[in-house]
Amino acid sequence: MAAFYSFLAVLALIVIPWLGVGMGMSALFGIALPYIAIIIFLVGFTMRIVDWAKSPVPFCIPTTGGQQKSLPWIKNSPWDNPDDKKGVFMRMVLEVLCFRSLFRNTSVKLQQDGPKVGYSSEKSLWLFALIFHYCFLLIFVRHLRFFMAPVPGPVGIAEFLDSILQIGLPVMYQSDALILVGLLFLLARRVFDGKVRYITLMQDYFPLFLLLGIVLTGVWMRYVVKVDVIAVKELAMGLVTLRPHLPTAPIDASVYAHLTLVCALFIYFPFSKLMHMGGIFLSPTRVCPNMSRRAMWVNPWNDPTVKAHSYEAYEDEFREKMIEAGLPVDKEA
């Protein structure tokens, strides 16, 4: 049901602007909503990052793979389990660009020769997650041409490489097809894998359906209705330059549906699991060097002026009440 409700929510986000444009509400979905979404995104993202940055990390708590550095003759893993800032930097580069920890993903299955649990390497999640994220990045870079004049050279190069196969007319972007493959795999994994489906909630399904809606409406605009790109850029440039206005040429309603889904993603982003994009750089389990064997860690909250209340003193104070409640005590009353 969580998947069904998520699908209905995304479907409503497509239908409402589609119908609203026909009722003369183009300014609401084309001008007001994008500004509201950007403000919520920036404020929410900043608040989450500041809140995480203010959280104290009194101990060394990295959770990384590999042998920690200890005695000189014991081989360690300087990138997987670094003990200095250089190693942490290299580990974060591999984590952000290559999803190194996800590469170690394993699957759990019951063995057929008896009631045994077996573990095996599972690289499919790593592969399709990598495909999705890099295709999303490439699509984001391509879309910058709508918000910049003149278009920077790197954006043109990215667009050329993405359509280098010259398939169809208008030319098909490879990232459009690959991101659909990645998203469908991630969705199918949550729907058909019983173990994953058991722990999947609506907040896991909703962003997948939302991203699928964004991609599908984008494909619809480019390859089916073939919207007026000049009019779309006129709308986008008006938003960026803070001179918002509706384009003079009419735009298909699918553009406003696509824009509404993008705005919904911006609004939802700071309050969802998608915040791992910024949170990974503030995660003490990733950004702390593993020096627990070489450095002494003192609890900063261990204030010597605070009088400690030992368990023995606690029991002396509440022994009779503990006995009445049936709780075990070290000493009888």
Side-chain angles (χ1 to χ4, degrees), residues 109 156 243 323:
K109 296 181 180 178
R243 299 187 186 93
I323 294 175

Side-chain angles (χ1 to χ4, degrees), residues 230-256:
I230 303 301
V232 173
K233 182 158 186 175
E234 182 181 350
L235 175 64
M237 290 299 297
L239 294 173
V240 171
T241 57
L242 300 181
R243 299 187 186 93
H245 64 277
L246 295 175
T248 53
I251 301 181
D252 190 81
S254 59
V255 175
Y256 295 100

Side-chain angles (χ1 to χ4, degrees), residues 165-188:
L165 295 182
Q166 297 287 315
I167 300 174
L169 191 67
V171 179
M172 186 188 77
Y173 292 121
Q174 284 77 65
S175 59
D176 291 343
L178 290 175
I179 195 173
L180 277 175
V181 172
L183 282 171
L184 289 174
F185 172 84
L186 296 175
L187 179 61

Side-chain angles (χ1 to χ4, degrees), residues 203-234:
Q203 53 263 40
D204 299 308
Y205 285 117
F206 179 72
L208 287 175
F209 280 112
L210 186 59
L211 289 166
L212 273 172
I214 292 173
V215 174
L216 290 175
T217 52
V219 169
W220 175 271
M221 289 189 303
R222 178 172 175 80
Y223 304 106
V224 181
V225 298
K226 300 177 182 178
V227 299
D228 187 349
V229 177
I230 303 301
V232 173
K233 182 158 186 175
E234 182 181 350

Side-chain angles (χ1 to χ4, degrees), residues 15-260:
V15 173
I16 291 174
W18 210 302
L19 298 177
V21 170
M23 299 168 60
M25 302 173 65
S26 300
L28 172 62
F29 297 103
I31 297 177
L33 184 59
Y35 282 128
I36 294 172
I38 290 297
I39 292 172
I40 293 176
F41 173 79
L42 293 176
V43 174
F45 193 96
T46 302
M47 290 179 62
R48 290 292 296 274
I49 293 297
V50 170
D51 183 57
W52 285 336
K54 291 167 59 178
S55 301
V57 184
F59 301 114
C60 179
I61 54 173
T63 55
T64 55
Q67 172 65 40
Q68 182 184 161
K69 184 177 181 179
S70 55
L71 299 173
W73 60 85
I74 298 178
K75 186 178 180 180
N76 66 303
S77 302
W79 288 357
D80 287 331
N81 205 342
D83 65 311
D84 55 12
K85 294 182 178 179
K86 293 181 180 179
V88 170
F89 175 80
M90 193 64 199
R91 180 179 67 194
M92 290 301 297
V93 168
L94 293 173
E95 185 70 25
V96 172
L97 299 182
C98 304
F99 301 173
R100 186 171 174 83
S101 61
L102 193 59
F103 185 77
R104 302 188 185 92
N105 184 51
T106 58
S107 62
V108 183
K109 296 181 180 178
L110 289 175
Q111 302 285 354
Q112 297 181 355
D113 56 348
K116 299 179 182 178
V117 176
Y119 297 87
S120 60
S121 177
E122 182 61 59
K123 298 293 187 293
S124 58
L125 177 60
W126 167 80
L127 176 62
F128 286 97
L130 204 66
I131 290 173
F132 161 69
H133 282 84
Y134 272 104
C135 287
F136 191 90
L137 175 62
L138 185 55
I139 291 171
F140 175 80
V141 172
R142 280 200 289 105
H143 276 64
L144 293 178
R145 72 186 191 276
F146 291 109
F147 302 94
M148 295 181 176
V151 178
V155 176
I157 294 173
E159 187 173 4
F160 168 74
L161 294 176
D162 199 7
S163 59
I164 198 170
L165 295 182
Q166 297 287 315
I167 300 174
L169 191 67
V171 179
M172 186 188 77
Y173 292 121
Q174 284 77 65
S175 59
D176 291 343
L178 290 175
I179 195 173
L180 277 175
V181 172
L183 282 171
L184 289 174
F185 172 84
L186 296 175
L187 179 61
R189 172 177 171 268
R190 292 194 174 275
V191 173
F192 297 109
D193 190 328
K195 300 183 295 296
V196 180
R197 184 174 64 248
Y198 181 76
I199 61 174
T200 301
L201 304 174
M202 185 172 178
Q203 53 263 40
D204 299 308
Y205 285 117
F206 179 72
L208 287 175
F209 280 112
L210 186 59
L211 289 166
L212 273 172
I214 292 173
V215 174
L216 290 175
T217 52
V219 169
W220 175 271
M221 289 189 303
R222 178 172 175 80
Y223 304 106
V224 181
V225 298
K226 300 177 182 178
V227 299
D228 187 349
V229 177
I230 303 301
V232 173
K233 182 158 186 175
E234 182 181 350
L235 175 64
M237 290 299 297
L239 294 173
V240 171
T241 57
L242 300 181
R243 299 187 186 93
H245 64 277
L246 295 175
T248 53
I251 301 181
D252 190 81
S254 59
V255 175
Y256 295 100
H258 182 74
L259 185 58
T260 300

